[in-house]
């Protein structure tokens, strides 16, 4: 089974050609299709075991805040708010009151906007941030698995996700930070670029740069991959090369907002 899956998608250039001629109406991968469902099945045990590890560590860490022989109980919401550290409170503040000070402009808007929207349902912007980050983390694992499968095989893909999941700083993907959301959109950008679906890669890159300014670096792999798929011949460049402008779109939009709000283009 593993050999048949990896053998079909080893060469990336034919994949790009086939994808360009296929139906591209959906802006996100069809998760219920066979290959995406297989990736979900592969990464889900890692995802669940990682969160079980985080839960145990959080529980034992919380015990240090309780005195010996104390009758105090430990509500689940307290365990969640143990993760409310450092920049999490800043994102929560932006989601609640907006960009009230210029210093908050260092934190790009997509994540707190998503927090604000989901908080309308869960009534807590910090909890909504945790939900967004952890759902995005699962998306990161799935998309990363698909990317590696197309170049190698199932075993390499599984190991790649394993090393990311249990890397010492992987807990940043689970807390209410924008790292997992950014990585999710960045990987989707790579996925669609590898398949030659440039106009689908553009909105993913736009969302990535609207999440973190480092997304501007996606211009480098975009230029390389586009030229590679066109055999590095300038005459083969088409109108879809303009999709690369989506990479700077997020930063440009936030810069305009900064100018209108604080008279400063970041």
């Amino acid at each position: 089974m593993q050999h048949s899956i990896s053998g079909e998608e080893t060469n990336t250039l034919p994949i790009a050609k086939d994808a360009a001629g296929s139906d591209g109406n959906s802006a996100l991968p069809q998760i219920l299709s066979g290959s995406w469902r297989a990736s979900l099945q592969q990464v889900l045990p890692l995802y669940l075991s990682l969160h079980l590890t985080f839960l145990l560590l959080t529980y034992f860490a919380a015990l240090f805040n309780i005195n010996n022989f104390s009758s105090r109980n430990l509500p689940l919401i307290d365990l969640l708010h143990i993760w409310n550290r450092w920049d999490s409170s800043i994102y929560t503040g932006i989601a609640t009151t907006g960009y009230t000070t210029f210093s908050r402009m260092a934190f790009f808007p997509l994540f707190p906007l998503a927090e604000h929207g989901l908080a309308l349902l869960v009534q807590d912007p910090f909890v909504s941030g945790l939900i967004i980050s952890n759902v995005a983390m699962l998306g990161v694992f799935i998309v990363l698995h698909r990317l590696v499968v197309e170049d190698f095989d199932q075993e390499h893909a599984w190991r790649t996700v394993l090393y990311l999941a249990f890397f010492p700083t992987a807990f940043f993907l689970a807390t209410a930070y924008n790292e997992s959301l950014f990585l999710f959109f960045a990987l989707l950008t790579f996925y669609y670029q590898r398949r030659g679906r440039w106009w689908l890669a553009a909105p993913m890159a736009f969302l990535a740069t609207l999440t973190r300014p480092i997304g501007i670096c996606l211009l480098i792999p975009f230029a390389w991959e586009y030229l590679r798929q066109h055999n590095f011949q300038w005459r083969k460049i088409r109108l879809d090369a303009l999709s690369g402008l989506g990479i700077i779109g997020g930063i440009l939009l936030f810069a305009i907002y900064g100018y209108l709000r604080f008279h400063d283009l970041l």
Side-chain angles (χ1 to χ4, degrees):
M1 180 67 177
Q2 294 180 355
H3 294 293
S4 63
I5 293 177
S6 60
E8 291 176 359
E9 302 182 341
T10 301
N11 191 330
T12 58
L13 208 53
I15 290 175
K17 292 179 179 179
D18 293 341
S22 62
D23 183 12
N25 293 330
S26 176
L28 291 175
Q30 296 179 0
I31 301 298
L32 296 180
S33 66
S35 58
W36 288 96
R37 186 168 59 248
S39 290
L40 174 61
Q41 292 171 348
Q42 288 288 322
V43 304
L44 189 59
L46 288 174
Y47 179 80
L48 295 177
S49 61
L50 177 63
H51 280 75
L52 177 60
T53 302
F54 287 154
L55 176 61
L56 293 175
L57 290 174
T58 303
Y59 176 76
F60 288 118
L63 293 180
F64 286 99
N65 295 322
I66 299 178
N67 296 327
N68 292 335
F69 310 108
S70 173
S71 60
R72 174 189 169 191
N73 58 10
L74 195 62
L76 178 61
I77 192 66
D78 287 357
L79 292 178
L80 291 178
H81 278 276
I82 287 176
W83 288 80
N84 191 0
R85 296 291 185 270
W86 304 300
D87 292 349
S88 294
S89 59
I90 299 178
Y91 286 118
T92 301
I94 297 173
T96 304
T97 61
Y99 289 93
T100 56
T101 62
F102 181 71
S103 61
R104 287 184 172 184
M105 292 294 292
F107 300 88
F108 271 46
L110 185 60
F111 185 77
L113 278 174
E115 277 187 315
H116 177 77
L118 187 57
L120 298 177
L121 296 177
V122 300
Q123 304 301 314
D124 188 330
F126 172 70
V127 173
S128 68
L130 287 177
I131 295 173
I132 294 165
S133 292
N134 285 273
V135 171
M137 185 205 295
L138 180 59
V140 166
F141 289 177
I142 295 172
V143 180
L144 180 61
H145 187 275
R146 288 302 310 147
L147 276 171
V148 180
V149 162
E150 292 190 352
D151 281 338
F152 299 97
D153 53 33
Q154 291 278 6
E155 181 179 358
H156 283 84
W158 186 84
R159 288 182 178 273
T160 301
V161 177
L162 172 67
Y163 299 151
L164 173 64
F166 289 94
F167 193 75
T169 57
F171 70 90
F172 283 111
L173 299 177
T175 193
Y177 282 18
N178 62 8
E179 269 77 0
S180 57
L181 189 65
F182 168 76
L183 192 55
F184 174 65
F185 288 125
L187 287 172
L188 279 177
T189 302
F190 291 143
Y191 175 79
Y192 284 123
Q193 287 176 357
R194 293 297 301 275
R195 302 180 75 86
R197 302 173 74 173
W198 307 105
W199 294 113
L200 291 180
M204 300 300 106
F206 173 82
L207 293 174
T209 55
L210 202 59
T211 306
R212 290 182 68 87
I214 194 65
I216 194 67
C217 293
L218 292 172
L219 275 172
I220 299 174
F222 167 82
W224 171 265
E225 185 64 21
Y226 188 90
L227 292 174
R228 185 189 70 84
Q229 291 188 22
H230 293 81
N231 300 319
F232 296 94
Q233 296 183 16
W234 298 105
R235 291 176 297 178
K236 293 186 176 182
I237 294 179
R238 298 293 183 265
L239 185 63
D240 53 12
L242 295 177
S243 62
L245 295 176
I247 298 174
I248 65 174
I251 293 179
L252 181 61
L253 181 63
F254 193 46
I256 294 174
Y257 171 81
Y259 180 78
L260 295 176
R261 181 72 174 83
F262 298 103
H263 305 288
D264 193 306
L265 287 172
L266 302 183

